Amino acid sequence: MLSDRLFLRYQRQVCLSDVSEQGQVSLVNSHVLVIGCGGLGCAATLYLAAAGVGHLVVVDDDLVEESNLQRQVAYRQTDLQHNKAKALMQQLKQLNDSINVRAVERRLADEQLGLEIMLADVVLDCSDNLLTRQQVNRICSQQKTPLISAAAIGWQGQFTVFDYLPESPCYRCLIPFDEITQEGKCSDMGIIGPVVGVLGNYQALAAIQKLATGKFFVEPNQLHLFNGQTMQWQAIKIMRDPECKLCNVSQATTEVAS
């Protein structure tokens, strides 16, 4: 049961029949891991904290720079040259003092990341590089932890939920590379701030769906493409790649275990 204070704070969510007090209690007891505290991570965590997700872990080894403030809206001028994860943690605690937030101020190796994912109910990939995305996808796939992934550049964005159910695809089925030689960066190609906000909000919304109701309302394993110029979405089903080494290994492990 919620305390009177928390019931009052979250009453706009509690009054939704598919959330109710039980769903809000689930949010309060939930644990979410967020990899990356840039534009996506800022937008997503602000709404997760406001919604009452009880345990948030935010991971980033980068420092806040002046050029970040155009889109990474959780930060303030006073956060410049401070670690992003620590600065974001402080902002989230000021937004909601009833939740627990932990900052990890370094990149995580596989063993450490595996432990963090093991504790999480869902993982949000808000990173800005393909190597990290593949690492997060690999460990989420191994542990069958739902992954909510997004990316944005210029006026464009993309969003996907991976559920890792039997026969479901993974991120490597979509992008079978660990690195792209000319991968676009905000510093090279530019980025419209609200585009990142839209995608981060979608990540938060999907996480709240899963944590509060026990299921995703958005269909998993679809690539949702956003065009910030026309404000239109396009959805493309992601097919499992029969040559995907990660999916094949995960399937073989599941069969042996059963």
Side-chain angles (χ1 to χ4, degrees):
M1 297 289 290
L2 297 172
S3 67
D4 291 344
R5 174 174 178 261
L6 292 185
F7 188 93
L8 180 63
R9 182 180 187 115
Y10 303 125
Q11 62 177 322
R12 298 300 192 275
Q13 292 171 180
V14 171
C15 71
L16 295 172
S17 60
D18 45 10
V19 176
S20 72
E21 185 173 2
Q22 181 179 354
Q24 187 61 54
V25 170
S26 295
L27 283 171
V28 170
N29 293 328
S30 294
H31 186 121
V32 176
L33 173 65
V34 180
I35 307 295
C37 299
L40 294 168
C42 283
T45 55
L46 285 172
Y47 274 100
L48 292 175
V53 171
H55 302 271
L56 283 170
V57 179
V58 292
V59 182
D60 205 306
D61 67 339
D62 203 3
L63 303 181
V64 180
E65 299 179 358
E66 188 91 33
S67 61
N68 298 150
L69 302 182
Q70 165 256 358
R71 65 196 177 279
Q72 299 177 16
V73 295
Y75 303 124
R76 304 294 178 259
Q77 292 282 155
T78 53
D79 293 321
L80 293 176
Q81 297 308 308
H82 288 78
N83 174 265
K84 287 183 179 180
K86 187 173 182 179
L88 182 57
M89 176 186 69
Q90 293 169 345
Q91 292 289 343
L92 297 177
K93 286 184 175 180
Q94 290 183 40
L95 174 62
N96 190 344
D97 63 3
S98 67
I99 66 172
N100 296 308
V101 187
R102 177 163 56 88
V104 178
E105 303 175 44
R106 63 187 186 280
R107 290 179 182 266
L108 295 178
D110 282 5
E111 183 176 359
Q112 298 167 308
L113 182 58
L115 291 174
E116 294 290 354
I117 291 176
M118 185 183 301
L119 295 172
D121 297 300
V122 296
V123 176
L124 272 61
D125 183 357
C126 302
S127 64
D128 62 357
N129 67 90
L130 190 55
L131 195 61
T132 298
R133 291 173 193 152
Q134 295 290 15
Q135 179 196 28
V136 173
N137 170 69
R138 172 167 46 82
I139 299 176
C140 282
S141 175
Q142 292 168 352
Q143 300 194 18
K144 308 304 179 189
T145 302
L147 172 63
I148 304 171
S149 174
I153 197 74
W155 292 88
Q156 312 296 319
Q158 65 183 47
F159 162 85
T160 310
V161 170
F162 295 98
D163 58 8
Y164 302 113
L165 296 178
E167 304 306 321
S168 291
C170 74
Y171 186 81
R172 184 170 286 278
C173 294
L174 176 65
I175 302 179
F177 311 108
D178 289 315
E179 294 185 40
I180 296 178
T181 304
Q182 296 181 335
E183 185 175 7
K185 296 182 179 179
C186 294
S187 58
D188 300 328
M189 301 181 64
I191 181 71
I192 297 297
V195 171
V196 184
V198 168
L199 274 298
N201 286 343
Y202 261 68
Q203 289 181 282
L205 185 56
I208 291 169
Q209 288 177 357
K210 177 65 172 176
L211 298 171
T213 72
K215 63 181 180 181
F216 290 111
F217 296 160
V218 62
E219 185 174 348
N221 310 312
Q222 282 193 344
L223 178 64
H224 298 266
L225 301 173
F226 177 66
N227 186 322
Q229 292 176 309
T230 63
M231 300 191 186
Q232 292 182 330
W233 285 90
Q234 179 183 8
I236 302 171
K237 186 173 182 60
I238 303 172
M239 304 303 294
R240 183 168 181 170
D241 181 0
E243 302 298 323
C244 177
K245 297 180 180 179
L246 177 59
C247 286
N248 291 335
V249 168
S250 297
Q251 182 68 29
T253 302
T254 300
E255 292 174 351
V256 169
S258 59

